[in-house]
Amino acid sequence: MTPAAALLYLLALAADPAPQVVDGDTIKTAPQGRMRLASIDAPESRGRAHCLSEALLAARAKARLAQLLPGARIEFTGRRDGWNRPLIHLRLADGHTAGEVLVSEGLARAWDGARRDWCH
């Protein structure tokens, strides 16, 4: 991100300081649009779940990310996913990332490049 783009992003973020949680591994901000948490995979939601257990886990992951988001610092990795969304880390006050917390609580998996079934 260029210094000018970073400044525009910060100004826009100041105008709309509340990022929104889309699902367990995606947030949305006014200046940037949708951004994907790097290094994790959360269950699918919004009608894309393959079974009830995945849908329920997706709802829990989304709710937990919403708890972690306030006060988290967005760190851009400089990479993008297959849908051209910026890959980010949400750095928490304790130094951990939101992704690390979601994985440790069983609400997401470490991303290893392969899609895995969430249905049991």
Side-chain angles (χ1 to χ4, degrees):
M1 181 179 285
T2 66
L7 178 59
L8 288 175
Y9 171 76
L10 291 173
L11 290 173
L13 191 58
D16 182 16
Q20 299 173 329
V21 174
V22 175
D23 61 24
D25 54 20
T26 308
I27 66 168
K28 180 172 73 172
T29 65
Q32 194 69 32
R34 289 179 185 240
M35 296 180 282
R36 173 78 184 243
L37 273 65
S39 305
I40 70 163
D41 180 41
E44 295 297 330
S45 61
R46 300 184 322 267
R48 296 186 338 200
H50 295 98
C51 62
L52 180 59
S53 63
E54 181 176 14
L56 293 173
L57 190 59
R60 289 179 49 213
K62 180 179 178 178
R64 183 64 170 126
L65 183 56
Q67 291 175 336
L68 297 170
L69 185 58
R73 188 176 72 244
I74 298 172
E75 296 177 351
F76 291 89
T77 67
R79 298 175 297 144
R80 292 184 172 266
D81 69 5
W83 289 268
N84 203 32
R85 296 176 296 188
L87 292 171
I88 63 165
H89 293 288
L90 292 175
R91 185 70 55 192
L92 307 176
D94 67 2
H96 290 94
T97 67
E100 291 169 337
V101 172
L102 292 169
V103 169
S104 74
E105 294 177 359
L107 300 172
R109 294 185 187 124
W111 176 247
D112 63 4
R115 296 201 182 276
R116 306 218 186 277
D117 188 9
W118 287 95
C119 300
H120 304 114

